[in-house]
Amino acid sequence: MNEDVLGFDSARLEDWARAHIGGFAGPTKISKFPTGQSNPTYLVETPAQRYVMRRKPPGKLLKSAHMVEREFRVLRGLQDSGFPAPRALALCEDEGVIGSVFYWMGHVEGRIFWDPALPGLTPGERAAIYDSMNEALAKLHAVDVAAAGLRDFGKPGNYFGRQLQRWGEQYRASETTVHPDMDRLMVWLGHNTPPDDGRAALVHGDWRIDNMIFAPSDARLLAVLDWELSTIGHPFADLAYQCMQWRLPNAGELRGLAGLDRAALGIPSEAEYVAAYCRRAGLAEIPDWAFLLAFSFFRVAAIVQGVYKRSLDGNASNPERARKMGEAAPLMARLAMEILEAAPNAAAG
């Protein structure tokens, strides 16, 4: 087997593509995107087409992590829903082709914004981008999961309890240093999980601006990327997850909006963004907001700790960035505890 600099045999990959991708014709030029900490992502260019490949990383993986099969399934389910998602083309579960499970999807041409402050745009343009994200989030949570073939995409009920167990186990499996705030946070969340209210929707799980592709010259959202964490879950989790950005500093690997003059920038406040979602979803309010935010920070802490552990194990997609991201785990836990300590009804559990 003649492995190239990408770590797999591109000739064998081309053979697979000819058999499974309609209209495919090589030769190919394959380059790895520098982003995509969880699942390595590649641009595949041919004389006539551009494709994107997502694969599981090599090496030993945590249980239920890097589920590109789930990404492929949800993209397939969304294809006829009118929701902006890339077109899923083919899934390969034969690890003999490139060494791990992978899938191909259509390439979407547009803009990806890595900084939520949207430097270089006008206030009006920023406001339109945020409104487009908000509209798409409400639209996602209104997707008919049965019509999309995703009725069994997640277990019914007790979403937050199951997520706390899953990410708590994954955090412990990748723990490298004791972080007291993280220990306190996990105890508080376990003691203060709100009762299940019966809400269930297709949730993205990583709803943030850099997982989206916007039109080249306007605010239209063309495609939402990175569906690895999607499931049938509680819609408020997606909303709170994005709203973490209002509380994160605009520095380092995890850029946020804290400390910026958002009104001058044309970016809505957290309260305005939540209110816009509520209008679109027909809701009066979002209860248990402190819990939802703290839960979101907990999930991020567990995720970045896993990324950091993979960097130590030598199988991170971008080792240098992974090490920097790993430093964010204690920051996430501290920000969550600050929210709980400031909330009037969030007594220690």
Side-chain angles (χ1 to χ4, degrees):
M1 178 175 173
N2 179 30
E3 288 198 356
D4 58 25
V5 295
L6 293 168
F8 55 81
D9 188 341
S10 55
R12 178 171 289 184
L13 180 63
E14 285 190 26
D15 289 341
W16 173 87
R18 275 189 287 272
H20 296 89
I21 304 293
F24 174 85
T28 60
K29 176 185 175 183
I30 305 175
S31 55
K32 184 175 178 292
F33 289 104
T35 54
Q37 279 302 312
S38 182
N39 295 317
T41 306
Y42 304 81
L43 175 64
V44 183
E45 300 177 273
T46 71
Q49 295 274 1
R50 302 177 96 193
Y51 308 92
V52 174
M53 179 176 76
R54 292 266 286 173
R55 66 176 295 195
K56 292 189 179 185
K60 184 179 179 181
L61 305 178
L62 293 174
K63 180 182 177 182
S64 75
H66 313 285
M67 297 298 288
V68 297
E69 304 94 329
R70 289 180 64 83
E71 287 190 347
F72 181 80
R73 183 182 172 192
V74 74
L75 290 177
R76 270 285 169 89
L78 288 171
Q79 281 183 177
D80 298 320
S81 69
F83 185 85
R87 186 168 184 80
L89 299 176
L91 171 70
C92 179
E93 297 181 279
D94 178 3
E95 296 185 1
V97 178
I98 66 168
S100 62
V101 176
F102 67 91
Y103 73 90
W104 279 28
M105 58 184 167
H107 179 266
V108 178
E109 192 67 45
R111 296 179 294 172
I112 295 179
F113 298 110
W114 301 104
D115 185 341
L118 302 177
L121 300 188
T122 67
E125 289 170 332
R126 294 188 187 100
I129 290 288
Y130 272 81
D131 195 59
S132 185
M133 283 192 289
N134 191 282
E135 180 183 29
L137 185 58
K139 186 174 185 179
L140 173 65
H141 295 157
V143 165
D144 185 332
V145 293
L150 298 170
R151 188 193 297 273
D152 63 342
F153 197 59
K155 297 177 181 178
N158 192 29
Y159 172 76
F160 292 111
R162 288 185 286 105
Q163 287 281 298
L164 286 170
Q165 179 178 356
R166 174 191 174 185
W167 290 108
E169 291 173 352
Q170 294 214 10
Y171 176 78
R172 294 302 186 199
S174 59
E175 189 175 18
T176 54
T177 303
V178 174
H179 298 304
D181 281 337
M182 189 65 170
D183 291 339
R184 292 171 58 211
L185 175 60
M186 292 169 70
V187 170
W188 189 93
L189 291 170
H191 289 173
N192 293 275
T193 305
D196 183 38
D197 63 3
R199 295 184 187 275
L202 177 61
V203 297
H204 180 269
D206 198 7
W207 190 267
R208 62 183 194 218
I209 195 167
D210 54 304
N211 279 334
M212 303 173 190
I213 300 176
F214 294 85
S217 58
D218 59 52
R220 284 177 298 134
L221 178 51
L222 301 182
V224 177
L225 310 173
D226 199 352
W227 293 83
E228 178 195 350
L229 300 176
S230 60
T231 188
I232 303 301
H234 202 293
F236 297 168
D238 270 345
L239 179 64
Y241 183 91
Q242 183 174 24
C243 285
M244 286 190 300
Q245 292 210 293
W246 275 260
R247 296 163 185 267
L248 287 169
N250 189 260
E253 295 296 322
L254 295 169
R255 293 192 173 184
L257 298 170
L260 303 179
D261 188 343
R262 296 184 289 272
L265 290 171
I267 295 173
S269 67
E270 177 186 297
E272 290 168 339
Y273 194 83
V274 171
Y277 175 88
C278 287
R279 287 194 300 272
R280 288 181 162 120
L283 302 168
E285 63 176 353
I286 305 293
D288 304 304
W289 190 239
F291 171 88
L292 292 166
L293 286 171
F295 166 79
S296 298
F297 277 108
F298 155 75
R299 278 183 72 239
V300 172
I303 290 168
V304 297
Q305 181 62 35
V307 170
Y308 178 64
K309 180 63 161 58
R310 286 201 305 278
S311 76
L312 299 181
D313 294 341
N315 63 348
S317 178
N318 184 329
E320 183 178 354
R321 185 165 184 259
R323 285 190 291 272
K324 291 179 180 178
M325 287 182 66
E327 299 171 0
L331 171 64
M332 298 298 106
R334 179 166 57 81
L335 289 173
M337 291 308 303
E338 288 176 359
I339 290 169
L340 297 179
E341 289 161 358
N345 298 317

